[in-house]
Amino acid sequence: MTKRLFDIDPWLIRTHTLAKDDIRLQESLTAIGNGYMGLRGNFEEGYSGDSLRGTYYGGIWFPDKTRVGWWKNGYPEYFGKAINGPDFISMPLTINNVAIDLAKTPFHDFDLRLDMHNGVLHREFVVDLPESVQVKLSFDRFMSNAVKQAAMIKMTATVLSGQADIRVTSRLDSNVHNEDSNYEEMFWQELGQHADSNGASTLSVTTKPNPFGVPQFSLTLGMQNVLKSPAPETRTAEESSLLVQEDLAWHLATGESSTLTKYVTVVSSRDVPTEKQVSAINDLLKEVMDQGYDALLAAQNRIWAERWQMADVLIDGDDAAQQGIRYNVFQLFMTYYGDDARLNIGPKGFTGEKYGGATYWDTEAYIVPMYLSVTPSRVVRQLLEYRYNQLAGAYHNAQQLDLKGALFPMVTFDGIESHNEWEITFEEIHRNGAIAHAIAQYTDYTGDHSYVDDHGMAVLVGISRFWADRVFFSKRKGMYMIHGVTGPNEYENNVNNNWYTNTMATWTLRYTLKMLPEATAERLAELAVTDEEKAHWQDIIDRMYYPHDDELGIFVQNDTFLDKDIRSASTIPANQRPINQHWSWDRILRSPFIKQADVLQGIYFLNDEYTQEQKERNFDFYEPLTVHESSLSASIHAILAAELGKEEKAVDLYQRTARLDLDNYNNDTDDGLHITSMSGSWLAIVQGFAGMRQHADKLSFKPFLPKQWTKYQFAVNYRDRIIQITVTAAGTELRLLKGAALTVWLYDQPVALAAAD
Amino acid sequence: MTKRLFDIDPWLIRTHTLAKDDIRLQESLTAIGNGYMGLRGNFEEGYSGDSLRGTYYGGIWFPDKTRVGWWKNGYPEYFGKAINGPDFISMPLTINNVAIDLAKTPFHDFDLRLDMHNGVLHREFVVDLPESVQVKLSFDRFMSNAVKQAAMIKMTATVLSGQADIRVTSRLDSNVHNEDSNYEEMFWQELGQHADSNGASTLSVTTKPNPFGVPQFSLTLGMQNVLKSPAPETRTAEESSLLVQEDLAWHLATGESSTLTKYVTVVSSRDVPTEKQVSAINDLLKEVMDQGYDALLAAQNRIWAERWQMADVLIDGDDAAQQGIRYNVFQLFMTYYGDDARLNIGPKGFTGEKYGGATYWDTEAYIVPMYLSVTPSRVVRQLLEYRYNQLAGAYHNAQQLDLKGALFPMVTFDGIESHNEWEITFEEIHRNGAIAHAIAQYTDYTGDHSYVDDHGMAVLVGISRFWADRVFFSKRKGMYMIHGVTGPNEYENNVNNNWYTNTMATWTLRYTLKMLPEATAERLAELAVTDEEKAHWQDIIDRMYYPHDDELGIFVQNDTFLDKDIRSASTIPANQRPINQHWSWDRILRSPFIKQADVLQGIYFLNDEYTQEQKERNFDFYEPLTVHESSLSASIHAILAAELGKEEKAVDLYQRTARLDLDNYNNDTDDGLHITSMSGSWLAIVQGFAGMRQHADKLSFKPFLPKQWTKYQFAVNYRDRIIQITVTAAGTELRLLKGAALTVWLYDQPVALAAAD
């Protein structure tokens, strides 16, 4: 059921076919971004066929009216969504008065390629026009990493035969639509505009008012269009509602060629007050035009080369896998590289509307473990600061549920919960555990205690206070319990004593008690954790109830899980998979089938706390029940399978995550890429195949080489070093590319690595 | 926290105070209807203060776009709601060019009374106008029970001092709003209109189109205004959008009086094709005007006298209770008296928008047990036919959940589920049990097997097939279970093995197997229940799992209920009651507090199957946990308390239900009356205080007299007899008012009743 639109290539996402029947999928896969903004692979000249046109700006969102059947106390008033923003690539174009539209205009020699070296999207094709006129058009665009507020588009027209009157209408256009709207309403209002055919054109817009006290966002875009040889014959500028445009017309004869470069800059009220935006835009435009397209592209190449040096994974013997892992790293970095602690990583990044562009627990659970190794440590620290900065919101969220402490939101932009399904919003509280655990991961991996000792401690105490209030003491069992939760397996709701949740709750309390003595004096005074409080936490740790089954030797997912009609997911007919597209929700809930790692997620997180036998028994019980219908599932299972020596299983599970989007594995990439699960293939290779673990200041590896591969090589950033790991049939080679000498562990044996040259 | 707006009176709902701060509550309490249509106690002349204006027409509804955060497979596409319909009482009025508006115009001698003898709403007051003009205005209105399509309004103006130029604008107005709309949209479109100042004015409207294939409803209203002495000086008619009106102006001198009678008739596409509605309306108008207001009122009085003869409950010694019980019976009969098998009883009847005017399981659970005794048996039979006629929809609903058999909807107009909250729609499947049980109740009480042997059997088999597919066999426990349900206690969701649900499921299978041999040959052939199927049903009956606790000697509400922090509802601080208005949903779900009878509902339904000790243990355990925050709760508990000799408790619980609306006990009667729970006070008196039971062809009583009362008397319709029961301190007197001799049981002793004279 997979679908592959692009050729296998180590560094390119390339095709010579316009996927007319899968245009949304093609658009998703050719999305680009720079952490500040991003957009789907829509066409500059427009496209009259099916298309999901979308441009997204980090941190720009709208609080929309909550949709609900019956209101429940505790629901947030609004649900937030990152809205589709002004379209700046728009450049409708006619040649000899024929509108160029690949849905209608005859064309050939189509070539579309996204270069993972630098994030440049290139597209070219030759249009066949009346009277045998043939014109080759090519478009290049990239979102600058050197000047994050800038985007560049370069269009080249070359006349292959005949004469061509070319007319381009270059636009900044905020007449955009959201598919995810309640009543097809518009979200943008105009603030001002200036169309100029000599200099910069600007468009200022604002999100419409809302009744929830969420600030409106204003945004100003600027553009300047530069036509090289020949100069345009006519050049006019025009303003209309939510739109500025510049019209350029010129003539080319056979063999002649010309290039139009569109420089775009964007600032928002997140950084620049509304009244200063136009002048900021003009300054930025001047800056990027002074540098010019080629210099900005060169800077882009340098930045990406540096990123790849730390993060590239080389795979020999499996070109599809090679492309897959690079694509995942590449898209993640285009979404987030730690430039702004107010931003985070939405499940779809800048590639679609689904999940509303908000922050989920995916970040802490799946991104942090990878980013610690492949980016400078400041990047993960920014992700941790994001939560610290939203601590007030987390206290608010707990209070909404009549609870003490801090409950980080399931879905948010600003720390306030902005999603309402009671079984998720109110009950999927295990998210709080992952957010605490990310602090420990950062601290253990980097050895840098400064975050936990200050900001992190406030987060840990807030979360611990939440757990301490959320548990209750069951007199009948004489133990603490947590009723009414949804675990990571969202195919069960409102269960009692989800093993994972109970485990992460006491883990948080333990870790908080352990780290508390280290906290800064100032922070300790501020947090004022009393002895009674600490004693209560310890009592919860000592007397927490964890469902388990001695006969099976497993931790039990929740209280009555084993009563279910337990059977392997392999008994589900293939034509009923994925079950979430074929079965009623009711049937799914009652089934024994598991969406994603639940008990096993806990064993993954707290890997050093369980014996090999415990891991094996639980894996052998739960994995067969798991349908892996979350894109976050397979990688965790691959890692554990690898650890348990189930190499074939590990490779099999890895396959699901390596090319999830490139092969449209879940048949839903047309909505956008699965950004937050893109870390999965990296985790499967590094923590799975290479068996990398970091615990108690020891970095260790237990690699194996998948049968299909002849070699794989990756680097990890670890405590100011870059360590390169190469695995071949001959064995494993470890080498420091950067930094001071270090001892690491290979198959439980110490290996001294010499300092890099 | 109660609020009483109306005086205590045995037959009147009367006040001399306009409740400006509680106008919605006053409007709810003065709602009237005739089973075909009904309306809130809004004012004819209009009211510029806060108000919920509403006119509702039985069976006229709109399928609105489903509101939901995240879609779940199995959800219905739309949610239905009975929409506010054309307003026919509207008669804005000016005197000497001053608009009469009780929110602004000075007035005195206000008198508002609803007469429970006949359903006539009377209102009068004297307005004080400039230049010492005083005019007394009085309004009477009723919805005719003789001609259900007709409503009558009579306005009398009497000049007490000065001169009065009176101008009335009598309207049919479909420019009406629904508070329960998604986006303040309108639901009515105009089809045609005719304004006539000599004869009838008509307005034809239709519900707007919907994309769900639900037929649009058209409605035509007609009116004719008759002014007695003097004739109007001017009389003009006017049409505007969704509105026709007639303007009448006349002059009155001091001491003069005049009466304007507005005759209104209504037909809809439920009965008359759109193109024939205008002529049908004109015929109806002619008919009612030929009869005239007084004759229709006389007919009204006769009809109600007959109803009261069968249903009246007399209470001596407690005037508030007397008024309460009559009010409940009165409002129920204004909502439903079995005239149309396509209609049912919505939780708010014709008195408000809440719950969308749809049919719930309330009908079978709470209305049927009362209606069997207080109405002719054809009335309940109509309610049963309603479900039979919707059997195809019930099969559809089950299929939506991938299940076999018939699942009657939680919320419906036409048999198709039209509500979407997964924990209710998908999980509150116990409703199916109550629908089956109502068939047994009817059959046992009336002794009439003709329904069950034919139509009823199709319903029972459909429901049994549903249960047989919905249970599963737990290999671990070696028993059948039902996972993932919501019991009658909606303060727990998605629980496993709700005792009540499991019990009603096997009860259905037992009853179906028992009655199957009786079924008509034709029905048997059609249903084709196989021997394997019957054996499977028997296996489920034999091996169903029912949670119980031997130590406590109770049935356990669901699998993990006893793990909860069990404590009495009396520990909840008074200022946190009701908890559904003060606690987060999350907190409610985790609490041990019970919304309404759950285990005890089962003991109520299957009363003869449990021992006194079982009843006592369960009552003593569950009642203290119950917050009675459903208006359906207290009566069931009152009945069981009475049976267990807990007379004070029974009376105490009865109090909550007797004047629930009249004293605004739950602080939400402003939204509308709690129509379906109005049976509760009757049940508490008859099945509770008088201990009436009907089982195995024996009708029995075990009455006690509440301390506060000196006497109570009621009648029940039983197998073509009317039996009158009178309970005083001296004892119980049983008497046949109608029908053949009969032996009944009093305190377990047979009592032979002689035939009525």
Side-chain angles (χ1 to χ4, degrees), chain A residues 72-73 402 421 423 475 493-494 496 560 565 580 584, chain B residues 72-73 421 423 475 493-494 496 560 565 580 584:
Chain A
K72 294 183 167 72
N73 290 340
D402 303 327
E421 295 282 307
E423 69 277 14
K475 292 189 282 289
N493 289 151
N494 196 35
N496 293 336
T560 57
D565 179 19
N580 70 21
S584 76
Chain B
K72 293 183 168 72
N73 290 340
E421 296 281 306
E423 70 277 13
K475 290 189 284 287
N493 289 152
N494 195 35
N496 293 336
T560 58
D565 180 19
N580 70 20
S584 76

PDB file of all heavy atoms in Angstrom, chain A residues 72-73 402 421 423 475 493-494 496 560 565 580 584, chain B residues 72-73 421 423 475 493-494 496 560 565 580 584:
ATOM      1  N   LYS A  72     -17.691  20.002  28.822  1.00  0.00           N
ATOM      2  CA  LYS A  72     -17.297  19.398  30.086  1.00  0.00           C
ATOM      3  C   LYS A  72     -16.446  20.382  30.866  1.00  0.00           C
ATOM      4  O   LYS A  72     -15.563  21.035  30.292  1.00  0.00           O
ATOM      5  CB  LYS A  72     -16.518  18.109  29.819  1.00  0.00           C
ATOM      6  CG  LYS A  72     -17.392  17.037  29.173  1.00  0.00           C
ATOM      7  CD  LYS A  72     -16.663  15.733  28.964  1.00  0.00           C
ATOM      8  CE  LYS A  72     -17.623  14.615  28.628  1.00  0.00           C
ATOM      9  NZ  LYS A  72     -18.203  14.708  27.281  1.00  0.00           N
ATOM     10  N   ASN A  73     -16.717  20.482  32.153  1.00  0.00           N
ATOM     11  CA  ASN A  73     -15.951  21.406  32.977  1.00  0.00           C
ATOM     12  C   ASN A  73     -14.465  21.072  32.887  1.00  0.00           C
ATOM     13  O   ASN A  73     -14.080  19.929  33.059  1.00  0.00           O
ATOM     14  CB  ASN A  73     -16.372  21.315  34.444  1.00  0.00           C
ATOM     15  CG  ASN A  73     -17.755  21.882  34.667  1.00  0.00           C
ATOM     16  OD1 ASN A  73     -18.247  22.660  33.852  1.00  0.00           O
ATOM     17  ND2 ASN A  73     -18.385  21.485  35.755  1.00  0.00           N
ATOM     18  N   ASP A 402      -8.895  21.176  38.834  1.00  0.00           N
ATOM     19  CA  ASP A 402      -8.972  21.142  40.301  1.00  0.00           C
ATOM     20  C   ASP A 402      -7.767  20.440  40.912  1.00  0.00           C
ATOM     21  O   ASP A 402      -7.888  19.827  41.981  1.00  0.00           O
ATOM     22  CB  ASP A 402     -10.242  20.402  40.784  1.00  0.00           C
ATOM     23  CG  ASP A 402     -11.520  21.015  40.244  1.00  0.00           C
ATOM     24  OD1 ASP A 402     -11.546  22.236  40.061  1.00  0.00           O
ATOM     25  OD2 ASP A 402     -12.486  20.272  40.021  1.00  0.00           O
ATOM     26  N   GLU A 421     -10.598  17.081  24.118  1.00  0.00           N
ATOM     27  CA  GLU A 421     -11.227  15.760  24.094  1.00  0.00           C
ATOM     28  C   GLU A 421     -10.889  15.263  25.490  1.00  0.00           C
ATOM     29  O   GLU A 421      -9.712  15.090  25.822  1.00  0.00           O
ATOM     30  CB  GLU A 421     -10.549  14.839  23.066  1.00  0.00           C
ATOM     31  CG  GLU A 421     -10.682  15.273  21.640  1.00  0.00           C
ATOM     32  CD  GLU A 421     -12.034  14.945  21.051  1.00  0.00           C
ATOM     33  OE1 GLU A 421     -12.473  13.788  21.103  1.00  0.00           O
ATOM     34  OE2 GLU A 421     -12.673  15.882  20.541  1.00  0.00           O
ATOM     35  N   GLU A 423     -10.755  12.591  27.085  1.00  0.00           N
ATOM     36  CA  GLU A 423      -9.907  11.428  27.306  1.00  0.00           C
ATOM     37  C   GLU A 423      -8.442  11.728  26.963  1.00  0.00           C
ATOM     38  O   GLU A 423      -7.554  10.979  27.346  1.00  0.00           O
ATOM     39  CB  GLU A 423     -10.441  10.228  26.511  1.00  0.00           C
ATOM     40  CG  GLU A 423     -10.305  10.332  25.000  1.00  0.00           C
ATOM     41  CD  GLU A 423     -11.433  11.129  24.329  1.00  0.00           C
ATOM     42  OE1 GLU A 423     -12.185  11.822  25.036  1.00  0.00           O
ATOM     43  OE2 GLU A 423     -11.544  11.059  23.102  1.00  0.00           O
ATOM     44  N   LYS A 475      -7.853   2.592  49.772  1.00  0.00           N
ATOM     45  CA  LYS A 475      -7.858   1.945  51.091  1.00  0.00           C
ATOM     46  C   LYS A 475      -7.950   0.429  50.936  1.00  0.00           C
ATOM     47  O   LYS A 475      -7.345  -0.318  51.675  1.00  0.00           O
ATOM     48  CB  LYS A 475      -9.041   2.477  51.922  1.00  0.00           C
ATOM     49  CG  LYS A 475      -8.876   3.949  52.319  1.00  0.00           C
ATOM     50  CD  LYS A 475      -9.921   4.410  53.316  1.00  0.00           C
ATOM     51  CE  LYS A 475     -11.269   4.704  52.671  1.00  0.00           C
ATOM     52  NZ  LYS A 475     -11.298   5.935  51.830  1.00  0.00           N
ATOM     53  N   ASN A 493      -8.932   4.219  26.460  1.00  0.00           N
ATOM     54  CA  ASN A 493      -9.153   5.508  27.111  1.00  0.00           C
ATOM     55  C   ASN A 493      -9.705   5.303  28.503  1.00  0.00           C
ATOM     56  O   ASN A 493     -10.452   4.356  28.739  1.00  0.00           O
ATOM     57  CB  ASN A 493     -10.166   6.344  26.329  1.00  0.00           C
ATOM     58  CG  ASN A 493      -9.638   6.862  25.000  1.00  0.00           C
ATOM     59  OD1 ASN A 493     -10.390   7.065  24.080  1.00  0.00           O
ATOM     60  ND2 ASN A 493      -8.332   7.057  24.891  1.00  0.00           N
ATOM     61  N   ASN A 494      -9.391   6.237  29.362  1.00  0.00           N
ATOM     62  CA  ASN A 494      -9.975   6.233  30.708  1.00  0.00           C
ATOM     63  C   ASN A 494      -9.761   4.896  31.399  1.00  0.00           C
ATOM     64  O   ASN A 494     -10.702   4.300  31.897  1.00  0.00           O
ATOM     65  CB  ASN A 494     -11.470   6.569  30.635  1.00  0.00           C
ATOM     66  CG  ASN A 494     -12.024   6.964  31.996  1.00  0.00           C
ATOM     67  OD1 ASN A 494     -11.332   7.587  32.793  1.00  0.00           O
ATOM     68  ND2 ASN A 494     -13.250   6.589  32.277  1.00  0.00           N
ATOM     69  N   ASN A 496      -7.592   2.534  34.345  1.00  0.00           N
ATOM     70  CA  ASN A 496      -7.086   2.692  35.701  1.00  0.00           C
ATOM     71  C   ASN A 496      -5.706   2.055  35.810  1.00  0.00           C
ATOM     72  O   ASN A 496      -5.473   0.961  35.323  1.00  0.00           O
ATOM     73  CB  ASN A 496      -8.035   2.043  36.701  1.00  0.00           C
ATOM     74  CG  ASN A 496      -9.366   2.778  36.750  1.00  0.00           C
ATOM     75  OD1 ASN A 496      -9.449   3.955  36.406  1.00  0.00           O
ATOM     76  ND2 ASN A 496     -10.407   2.079  37.171  1.00  0.00           N
ATOM     77  N   THR A 560      -7.525  -3.904  33.929  1.00  0.00           N
ATOM     78  CA  THR A 560      -8.305  -5.045  33.424  1.00  0.00           C
ATOM     79  C   THR A 560      -7.851  -5.480  32.031  1.00  0.00           C
ATOM     80  O   THR A 560      -8.570  -6.198  31.342  1.00  0.00           O
ATOM     81  CB  THR A 560      -9.810  -4.695  33.382  1.00  0.00           C
ATOM     82  OG1 THR A 560      -9.984  -3.528  32.583  1.00  0.00           O
ATOM     83  CG2 THR A 560     -10.347  -4.429  34.777  1.00  0.00           C
ATOM     84  N   ASP A 565      -9.872 -10.014  25.138  1.00  0.00           N
ATOM     85  CA  ASP A 565      -9.702 -11.134  24.223  1.00  0.00           C
ATOM     86  C   ASP A 565      -8.342 -10.968  23.541  1.00  0.00           C
ATOM     87  O   ASP A 565      -8.240 -10.465  22.424  1.00  0.00           O
ATOM     88  CB  ASP A 565     -10.849 -11.109  23.197  1.00  0.00           C
ATOM     89  CG  ASP A 565     -10.738 -12.244  22.192  1.00  0.00           C
ATOM     90  OD1 ASP A 565     -10.028 -13.223  22.476  1.00  0.00           O
ATOM     91  OD2 ASP A 565     -11.356 -12.131  21.126  1.00  0.00           O
ATOM     92  N   ASN A 580      -7.586   1.978  12.532  1.00  0.00           N
ATOM     93  CA  ASN A 580      -8.204   3.287  12.797  1.00  0.00           C
ATOM     94  C   ASN A 580      -8.882   3.882  11.569  1.00  0.00           C
ATOM     95  O   ASN A 580      -9.598   4.865  11.682  1.00  0.00           O
ATOM     96  CB  ASN A 580      -7.217   4.267  13.442  1.00  0.00           C
ATOM     97  CG  ASN A 580      -6.126   4.721  12.504  1.00  0.00           C
ATOM     98  OD1 ASN A 580      -6.264   4.639  11.279  1.00  0.00           O
ATOM     99  ND2 ASN A 580      -5.020   5.185  13.056  1.00  0.00           N
ATOM    100  N   SER A 584     -14.788   0.884  13.948  1.00  0.00           N
ATOM    101  CA  SER A 584     -15.386   1.933  14.777  1.00  0.00           C
ATOM    102  C   SER A 584     -14.496   2.146  15.996  1.00  0.00           C
ATOM    103  O   SER A 584     -13.764   1.251  16.424  1.00  0.00           O
ATOM    104  CB  SER A 584     -16.787   1.518  15.228  1.00  0.00           C
ATOM    105  OG  SER A 584     -16.711   0.563  16.267  1.00  0.00           O
TER     106      SER A 584
ATOM    107  N   LYS B  72     -14.267  10.524  15.363  1.00  0.00           N
ATOM    108  CA  LYS B  72     -14.056   9.117  15.675  1.00  0.00           C
ATOM    109  C   LYS B  72     -14.949   8.276  14.769  1.00  0.00           C
ATOM    110  O   LYS B  72     -16.119   8.603  14.581  1.00  0.00           O
ATOM    111  CB  LYS B  72     -14.372   8.855  17.144  1.00  0.00           C
ATOM    112  CG  LYS B  72     -13.375   9.547  18.068  1.00  0.00           C
ATOM    113  CD  LYS B  72     -13.632   9.251  19.528  1.00  0.00           C
ATOM    114  CE  LYS B  72     -12.474   9.707  20.393  1.00  0.00           C
ATOM    115  NZ  LYS B  72     -12.377  11.163  20.528  1.00  0.00           N
ATOM    116  N   ASN B  73     -14.408   7.206  14.246  1.00  0.00           N
ATOM    117  CA  ASN B  73     -15.193   6.337  13.374  1.00  0.00           C
ATOM    118  C   ASN B  73     -16.422   5.829  14.105  1.00  0.00           C
ATOM    119  O   ASN B  73     -16.308   5.330  15.225  1.00  0.00           O
ATOM    120  CB  ASN B  73     -14.371   5.123  12.920  1.00  0.00           C
ATOM    121  CG  ASN B  73     -13.268   5.504  11.960  1.00  0.00           C
ATOM    122  OD1 ASN B  73     -13.308   6.568  11.343  1.00  0.00           O
ATOM    123  ND2 ASN B  73     -12.269   4.654  11.846  1.00  0.00           N
ATOM    124  N   GLU B 421     -20.888  11.801  21.313  1.00  0.00           N
ATOM    125  CA  GLU B 421     -19.876  11.800  22.363  1.00  0.00           C
ATOM    126  C   GLU B 421     -19.615  10.308  22.511  1.00  0.00           C
ATOM    127  O   GLU B 421     -20.521   9.570  22.901  1.00  0.00           O
ATOM    128  CB  GLU B 421     -20.427  12.339  23.692  1.00  0.00           C
ATOM    129  CG  GLU B 421     -20.866  13.766  23.675  1.00  0.00           C
ATOM    130  CD  GLU B 421     -19.698  14.733  23.788  1.00  0.00           C
ATOM    131  OE1 GLU B 421     -18.900  14.627  24.724  1.00  0.00           O
ATOM    132  OE2 GLU B 421     -19.595  15.598  22.895  1.00  0.00           O
ATOM    133  N   GLU B 423     -18.357   8.320  24.539  1.00  0.00           N
ATOM    134  CA  GLU B 423     -18.640   7.610  25.787  1.00  0.00           C
ATOM    135  C   GLU B 423     -20.144   7.470  26.020  1.00  0.00           C
ATOM    136  O   GLU B 423     -20.565   6.660  26.842  1.00  0.00           O
ATOM    137  CB  GLU B 423     -17.950   8.315  26.961  1.00  0.00           C
ATOM    138  CG  GLU B 423     -18.519   9.673  27.344  1.00  0.00           C
ATOM    139  CD  GLU B 423     -17.981  10.822  26.499  1.00  0.00           C
ATOM    140  OE1 GLU B 423     -17.349  10.567  25.453  1.00  0.00           O
ATOM    141  OE2 GLU B 423     -18.177  11.989  26.892  1.00  0.00           O
ATOM    142  N   LYS B 475     -11.160 -15.308  28.056  1.00  0.00           N
ATOM    143  CA  LYS B 475     -10.555 -16.625  28.266  1.00  0.00           C
ATOM    144  C   LYS B 475      -9.982 -16.721  29.683  1.00  0.00           C
ATOM    145  O   LYS B 475     -10.066 -17.744  30.330  1.00  0.00           O
ATOM    146  CB  LYS B 475      -9.452 -16.860  27.224  1.00  0.00           C
ATOM    147  CG  LYS B 475     -10.018 -17.055  25.814  1.00  0.00           C
ATOM    148  CD  LYS B 475      -8.984 -17.493  24.803  1.00  0.00           C
ATOM    149  CE  LYS B 475      -8.069 -16.374  24.352  1.00  0.00           C
ATOM    150  NZ  LYS B 475      -8.684 -15.387  23.447  1.00  0.00           N
ATOM    151  N   ASN B 493     -17.189   6.769  32.921  1.00  0.00           N
ATOM    152  CA  ASN B 493     -17.278   6.480  31.491  1.00  0.00           C
ATOM    153  C   ASN B 493     -16.332   5.356  31.128  1.00  0.00           C
ATOM    154  O   ASN B 493     -15.253   5.244  31.729  1.00  0.00           O
ATOM    155  CB  ASN B 493     -16.874   7.711  30.654  1.00  0.00           C
ATOM    156  CG  ASN B 493     -17.887   8.836  30.713  1.00  0.00           C
ATOM    157  OD1 ASN B 493     -17.526   9.977  30.571  1.00  0.00           O
ATOM    158  ND2 ASN B 493     -19.149   8.500  30.938  1.00  0.00           N
ATOM    159  N   ASN B 494     -16.717   4.613  30.109  1.00  0.00           N
ATOM    160  CA  ASN B 494     -15.836   3.583  29.560  1.00  0.00           C
ATOM    161  C   ASN B 494     -15.357   2.627  30.645  1.00  0.00           C
ATOM    162  O   ASN B 494     -14.167   2.404  30.801  1.00  0.00           O
ATOM    163  CB  ASN B 494     -14.628   4.245  28.863  1.00  0.00           C
ATOM    164  CG  ASN B 494     -13.887   3.269  27.962  1.00  0.00           C
ATOM    165  OD1 ASN B 494     -14.488   2.406  27.341  1.00  0.00           O
ATOM    166  ND2 ASN B 494     -12.572   3.390  27.908  1.00  0.00           N
ATOM    167  N   ASN B 496     -15.639  -1.252  32.590  1.00  0.00           N
ATOM    168  CA  ASN B 496     -15.777  -2.645  32.197  1.00  0.00           C
ATOM    169  C   ASN B 496     -16.754  -3.341  33.137  1.00  0.00           C
ATOM    170  O   ASN B 496     -16.696  -3.165  34.348  1.00  0.00           O
ATOM    171  CB  ASN B 496     -14.419  -3.340  32.252  1.00  0.00           C
ATOM    172  CG  ASN B 496     -13.466  -2.801  31.200  1.00  0.00           C
ATOM    173  OD1 ASN B 496     -13.899  -2.259  30.176  1.00  0.00           O
ATOM    174  ND2 ASN B 496     -12.175  -2.916  31.446  1.00  0.00           N
ATOM    175  N   THR B 560     -13.531  -2.037  38.640  1.00  0.00           N
ATOM    176  CA  THR B 560     -12.574  -1.503  39.621  1.00  0.00           C
ATOM    177  C   THR B 560     -13.210  -0.472  40.545  1.00  0.00           C
ATOM    178  O   THR B 560     -12.506   0.280  41.214  1.00  0.00           O
ATOM    179  CB  THR B 560     -11.361  -0.867  38.897  1.00  0.00           C
ATOM    180  OG1 THR B 560     -11.840   0.158  38.029  1.00  0.00           O
ATOM    181  CG2 THR B 560     -10.601  -1.901  38.093  1.00  0.00           C
ATOM    182  N   ASP B 565     -11.674   5.787  46.098  1.00  0.00           N
ATOM    183  CA  ASP B 565     -11.682   6.366  47.437  1.00  0.00           C
ATOM    184  C   ASP B 565     -13.147   6.540  47.861  1.00  0.00           C
ATOM    185  O   ASP B 565     -13.720   7.625  47.755  1.00  0.00           O
ATOM    186  CB  ASP B 565     -10.944   7.714  47.380  1.00  0.00           C
ATOM    187  CG  ASP B 565     -10.908   8.384  48.738  1.00  0.00           C
ATOM    188  OD1 ASP B 565     -11.101   7.693  49.757  1.00  0.00           O
ATOM    189  OD2 ASP B 565     -10.679   9.618  48.770  1.00  0.00           O
ATOM    190  N   ASN B 580     -21.425  18.682  39.329  1.00  0.00           N
ATOM    191  CA  ASN B 580     -21.270  18.889  37.881  1.00  0.00           C
ATOM    192  C   ASN B 580     -21.215  20.361  37.501  1.00  0.00           C
ATOM    193  O   ASN B 580     -20.876  20.698  36.373  1.00  0.00           O
ATOM    194  CB  ASN B 580     -22.315  18.122  37.062  1.00  0.00           C
ATOM    195  CG  ASN B 580     -23.699  18.684  37.206  1.00  0.00           C
ATOM    196  OD1 ASN B 580     -23.886  19.838  37.594  1.00  0.00           O
ATOM    197  ND2 ASN B 580     -24.703  17.875  36.921  1.00  0.00           N
ATOM    198  N   SER B 584     -14.233  19.745  37.918  1.00  0.00           N
ATOM    199  CA  SER B 584     -13.836  19.379  36.554  1.00  0.00           C
ATOM    200  C   SER B 584     -14.369  17.982  36.262  1.00  0.00           C
ATOM    201  O   SER B 584     -14.580  17.169  37.170  1.00  0.00           O
ATOM    202  CB  SER B 584     -12.317  19.391  36.414  1.00  0.00           C
ATOM    203  OG  SER B 584     -11.749  18.247  37.013  1.00  0.00           O
TER     204      SER B 584
END
